[in-house]
């Protein structure tokens, strides 16, 4: 009968402890009115309790700190810190001690050891200490693998390892929405508004230190989360920078294409990269976390082959008096030259002044031309400008532009402020 040899005990002991911030000690206050049977007994006991706040004994929050009692939760974006200690429990001197710490995620294995060099010897009752840090960038199961190898006095090489499994949770739920300009033909069509909804899905409050949008190279960004008061920029959230559990906060940003990209009609079309959100928060006693979203993308609105936008238009005009607008015509094609003819069709309220059917000439790919037009309105009120037609004589194709913009028409007896 085969007999297995007894398992040899190791000379070294491995201890691993997660390093986190302590928490404020809390107690449950027990009190009663003075006319009750205990009298002032409960109140006196709370005053004598060293963990309570002097003068505010009935508050649950105390002045003392409590060390972590368990592993706790680890959230994406936080820094995982751990203390690793290898202690020589024997009465022998061991040599060539090598401590290695790896973190296994669902996609990769990371070496977290500060040094890969072996320690020459470790005397009895002595230890080797190391602190590892890692910014958590993946959610799901993580396994901390700690391996120790050493050589005994007899020259025997020994090896053992331990596994510490933990879950990384998602701290925030981030949702984004894109809004284009209200009118596809206005002068601000290329502006994009981004709404970011951020929800705290942890069980503790968060201090939102920073929420910013890092735009792509094509855009400039303006944050719309502050207002100017007495010459100072004040957050729209005031001093309420804390986000309670399950609370949601909305942030708004305006992105506008840079001039060099806005002037090239064929660039900002289809799916474009807007940028990414950078979120920084703090939790218990200032523990910091940071998340960056992946690149946010949007589908740019389609303008067809020819785009008509307004460069200048008055807000208010006088009844039956001519006024001027400036249009910009852009060839959005990247390959084809167009030969355009402009036609102006009157409506019931808007009448164009000038020659209809005039030649605008050839317009090369991705190029633009500005056009000054004159018109008048025969009806008071808010009137819509319509009736422009552009015809490409090469393809015999006509592009119609109605409801380009709106103007307020008032009686000529009312003076229009410039």
């Amino acid at each position: 009968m085969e007999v297995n040899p007894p398992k040899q005990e190791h000379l070294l002991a491995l201890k691993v402890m997660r390093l986190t911030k302590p928490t404020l000690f809390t107690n449950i206050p027990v009190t009663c009115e003075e006319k009750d049977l205990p009298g002032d007994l409960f109140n006196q006991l709370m005053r004598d309790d060293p963990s309570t706040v002097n003068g505010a004994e009935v508050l649950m929050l105390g002045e003392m700190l409590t060390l972590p009692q368990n592993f706790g939760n680890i959230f994406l974006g936080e820094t995982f810190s751990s203390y690793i200690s290898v202690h020589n429990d024997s009465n022998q001197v061991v040599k060539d001690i090598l401590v290695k710490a790896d973190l296994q995620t669902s996609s990769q294995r990371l070496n977290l050891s500060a040094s890969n060099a072996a320690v020459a010897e470790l005397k009895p009752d002595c230890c080797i200490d190391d602190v590892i840090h890692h910014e958590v960038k993946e959610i799901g199961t993580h396994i901390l693998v700690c391996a120790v190898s050493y050589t005994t006095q007899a020259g025997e090489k020994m090896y053992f390892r331990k596994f510490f499994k933990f879950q990384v949770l998602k701290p925030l739920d981030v949702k984004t929405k894109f809004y284009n300009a209200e009118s596809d033909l206005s002068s601000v069509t290329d502006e994009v508004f981004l709404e970011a909804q951020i929800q705290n899905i942890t069980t503790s409050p968060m201090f939102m230190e920073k929420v910013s949008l890092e735009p792509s190279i094509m855009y400039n960004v303006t944050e719309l989360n502050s207002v100017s008061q007495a010459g100072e920029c004040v957050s729209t959230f005031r001093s309420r920078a804390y986000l309670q559990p399950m609370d949601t906060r909305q942030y708004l940003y305006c992105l506008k294409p840079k001039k060099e990209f806005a002037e090239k009609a064929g660039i900002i079309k289809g799916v474009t990269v807007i940028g990414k959100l950078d979120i920084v928060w703090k939790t218990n006693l200032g523990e910091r976390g940071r998340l960056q979203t992946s690149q946010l993308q949007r589908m740019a609105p389609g303008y067809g082959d020819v785009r008509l936008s307004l460069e200048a238009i008055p807000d208010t005009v006088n009844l039956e008096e001519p006024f001027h607008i400036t249009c910009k015509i852009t060839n959005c094609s990247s390959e084809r030259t167009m030969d355009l003819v402009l036609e102006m069709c009157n409506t019931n309220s808007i009448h164009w002044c000038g020659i209809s059917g005039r030649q605008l000439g050839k317009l090369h790919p991705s190029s633009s031309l500005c056009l000054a037009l004159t018109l008048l309105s025969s009806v008071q009120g808010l009137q819509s400008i319509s009736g422009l037609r552009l015809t490409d004589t090469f393809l015999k194709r006509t592009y119609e532009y109605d409801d380009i913009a709106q103007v307020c028409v008032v009686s000529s007896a009312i003076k229009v402020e410039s």
Side-chain angles (χ1 to χ4, degrees):
M1 183 176 65
E2 182 180 357
V3 178
N4 294 324
K7 187 176 180 180
Q8 184 177 2
E9 293 185 1
H10 285 282
L11 306 179
L12 303 181
L14 172 65
K15 295 181 180 180
V16 178
M17 178 186 297
R18 183 192 172 195
L19 298 179
T20 59
K21 298 280 188 179
T23 57
L24 290 172
F25 179 80
T26 57
N27 53 51
I28 301 177
V30 179
T31 183
C32 66
E33 296 182 3
E34 293 183 0
K35 63 182 180 180
D36 292 335
L37 183 61
D40 194 45
L41 176 62
F42 291 153
N43 293 333
Q44 186 60 44
L45 289 174
M46 287 193 297
R47 285 192 291 268
D48 295 338
D49 189 344
S51 65
T52 59
V53 178
N54 186 23
E57 292 83 7
V58 294
L59 295 179
M60 292 184 62
L61 206 60
E63 292 182 319
M64 292 187 175
L65 298 176
T66 304
L67 294 176
Q69 302 300 307
N70 50 45
F71 194 81
N73 293 324
I74 299 180
F75 293 100
L76 184 70
E78 294 182 342
T79 299
F80 169 70
S81 300
S82 184
Y83 167 70
I84 299 176
S85 178
V86 177
H87 187 267
N88 187 353
D89 291 343
S90 69
N91 55 5
Q92 303 180 25
V93 176
V94 296
K95 299 180 179 179
D96 302 327
I97 306 96
L98 181 61
V99 182
K100 187 178 180 182
D102 292 339
L103 186 63
Q104 178 69 54
T105 70
S106 59
S107 63
Q108 58 183 334
R109 189 182 183 102
L110 304 168
N111 180 20
L112 304 184
S113 301
S115 174
N116 293 321
V119 179
E121 65 176 25
L122 185 64
K123 297 179 180 180
D125 292 328
C126 293
C127 61
I128 300 173
D129 300 322
D130 190 15
V131 176
I132 58 175
H133 303 280
H134 173 67
E135 184 178 346
V136 182
K137 298 181 179 179
E138 296 181 43
I139 60 174
T141 303
H142 287 57
I143 302 175
L144 179 63
V145 183
C146 298
V148 180
S149 62
Y150 62 95
T151 305
T152 64
Q153 281 186 336
E156 183 181 3
K157 293 187 178 295
M158 305 293 292
Y159 174 84
F160 70 94
R161 59 181 180 174
K162 288 186 177 182
F163 300 88
F164 303 89
K165 185 177 179 180
F166 59 92
Q167 294 288 331
V168 175
L169 308 176
K170 187 169 71 167
L172 299 170
D173 186 23
V174 181
K175 297 179 181 178
T176 57
K177 295 180 182 178
F178 289 107
Y179 301 93
N180 298 320
E182 183 176 343
S183 172
D184 285 345
L185 298 174
S186 68
S187 60
V188 294
T189 302
D190 289 330
E191 287 188 354
V192 183
F193 292 91
L194 170 64
E195 176 192 342
Q197 298 180 359
I198 301 176
Q199 183 182 26
N200 176 9
I201 57 176
T202 69
T203 57
S204 59
M206 285 184 178
F207 174 78
M208 305 305 292
E209 185 174 290
K210 183 182 76 167
V211 179
S212 62
L213 178 64
E214 298 179 359
S216 64
I217 60 172
M218 298 173 63
Y219 290 91
N220 291 319
V221 64
T222 302
E223 292 195 12
L224 304 178
N225 306 306
S226 59
V227 293
S228 180
Q229 290 186 351
E232 294 184 0
C233 194
V234 181
S235 171
T236 53
F237 307 110
R238 304 288 179 174
S239 59
R240 296 186 292 273
Y242 287 92
L243 195 60
Q244 298 295 333
M246 304 311 296
D247 278 2
T248 301
R249 183 169 291 173
Q250 294 169 303
Y251 295 84
L252 187 63
Y253 304 90
C254 177
L255 297 106
K256 191 170 184 179
K258 294 180 180 178
K259 186 176 181 180
E260 58 267 29
F261 294 103
E263 292 177 349
K264 298 179 181 179
I267 292 183
I268 304 180
K269 61 191 302 186
V271 178
T272 58
V273 175
I274 295 295
K276 57 186 178 181
L277 287 170
D278 187 14
I279 307 171
V280 180
W281 70 90
K282 289 182 179 178
T283 54
N284 179 43
L285 292 184
E287 280 196 281
R288 191 171 180 265
R290 180 183 182 186
L291 278 182
Q292 281 190 330
T293 64
S294 56
Q295 290 287 351
L296 304 176
Q297 295 180 334
R298 70 180 275 264
M299 177 63 73
Y303 303 113
D305 295 334
V306 182
R307 177 185 175 190
L308 178 73
S309 59
L310 288 181
E311 297 293 297
I313 182 172
D315 295 327
T316 307
V317 297
N318 285 331
L319 180 67
E320 298 180 346
E321 289 187 9
F323 62 93
H324 306 283
I325 64 173
T326 303
C327 298
K328 183 178 180 181
I329 302 172
T330 304
N331 181 355
C332 296
S333 172
S334 58
E335 300 176 352
R336 189 168 57 86
T337 300
M338 298 181 179
D339 188 16
L340 298 176
V341 174
L342 174 66
E343 295 182 6
M344 300 177 292
C345 304
N346 294 334
T347 64
N348 292 332
S349 58
I350 294 295
H351 306 274
W352 297 92
C353 304
I355 302 175
S356 180
R358 61 170 163 154
Q359 296 278 346
L360 298 182
K362 293 182 179 180
L363 190 61
H364 296 287
S366 302
S367 59
S368 305
L369 64 88
C370 289
L371 195 63
L373 299 174
T374 304
L375 58 163
L376 61 83
S377 175
S378 59
V379 179
Q380 293 188 64
L382 192 63
Q383 303 299 326
S384 179
I385 297 177
S386 302
L388 283 182
R389 306 289 183 263
L390 288 172
T391 301
D392 182 7
T393 59
F394 289 153
L395 295 182
K396 306 298 182 183
R397 183 180 298 172
T398 300
Y399 305 92
E400 299 182 357
Y401 299 95
D402 295 317
D403 298 322
I404 302 171
Q406 292 179 326
V407 293
C408 181
V409 182
V410 298
S411 172
S412 57
I414 303 175
K415 183 179 180 180
V416 178
E417 295 184 359
S418 56

